[in-house]
Amino acid sequence: MIFALDMLLRRSIAPVRRLGRYIGKVNSGMGGQTRSMVDFSNSLLLSQLDAIRERYEELTELMSSSTDPGELRKMGKEYSDLSRTMEFIVERDECVGSITDLKEMAQEEEDDDMAELAQEELVEMEGRLTQAEEGLVKLLTPK
């Protein structure tokens, strides 16, 4: 059982490590800048973010059903490590959804005032998206 849990934990952190190496390679060509030149529309990157999300949800379920203190400690540490990353992933997802809606609203709105308001909110939301992506890059870049 402990071997199986250990293998599960090693397998689960692999997407985070691969994503960190990918981001590290992208940023290494930028002279140390951390501005996100990482293409967050890249399907590999998005699948890695999905893998992190799935592991986080899996840990939540496993922690609620486990009674072994050793297992709980290992899972709790991993859960804690992924928590901050998940905050940025959720923020990024919310921003992407809002940006899509605001762009649609700005283009389809007949009332100029409403279209202008949507455009202003769009600029603000794009700034939040940039911050969320930069946060992900900082968290996932190997040190």
Side-chain angles (χ1 to χ4, degrees), residues 2-114:
I2 300 229
F3 176 74
L5 177 64
D6 188 50
M7 291 304 294
L8 179 65
L9 291 175
R10 286 184 187 181
R11 179 183 55 103
S12 67
I13 201 70
V16 176
R17 288 187 181 138
R18 281 194 303 271
L19 185 56
R21 283 194 301 267
Y22 172 76
I23 291 173
K25 286 178 185 176
V26 170
N27 283 341
S28 67
M30 297 174 51
Q33 297 174 351
T34 58
R35 170 61 189 112
S36 176
M37 275 189 49
V38 176
D39 180 12
F40 276 88
S41 64
N42 179 316
S43 61
L44 173 65
L45 181 61
L46 292 177
S47 68
Q48 297 298 319
L49 292 177
D50 286 341
I52 292 169
R53 182 182 294 109
E54 288 173 17
R55 178 58 183 163
Y56 186 80
E57 292 168 1
E58 181 182 19
L59 280 171
T60 302
E61 292 175 24
L62 288 171
M63 288 173 58
S64 67
S65 63
S66 180
T67 57
D68 180 18
E71 285 181 27
L72 282 171
R73 189 173 22 261
K74 285 182 182 179
M75 288 187 285
K77 180 175 179 351
E78 184 181 357
Y79 183 86
S80 175
D81 292 344
L82 291 178
S83 291
R84 186 73 176 132
T85 305
M86 277 304 299
E87 289 175 18
F88 282 113
I89 290 172
V90 168
E91 175 72 12
R92 183 192 172 280
D93 290 346
E94 289 173 357
C95 289
V96 168
S98 294
I99 286 171
T100 302
D101 293 344
L102 288 167
K103 282 182 179 179
E104 186 177 300
M105 185 186 302
Q107 290 175 353
E108 295 177 359
E109 189 61 50
E110 294 176 12
D111 181 10
D112 290 339
D113 291 337
M114 289 299 290

Side-chain angles (χ1 to χ4, degrees), residues 104-128:
E104 186 177 300
M105 185 186 302
Q107 290 175 353
E108 295 177 359
E109 189 61 50
E110 294 176 12
D111 181 10
D112 290 339
D113 291 337
M114 289 299 290
E116 184 178 328
L117 182 62
Q119 191 64 36
E120 289 172 7
E121 284 188 42
L122 179 62
V123 170
E124 180 183 326
M125 196 58 61
E126 287 173 341
R128 284 181 53 196

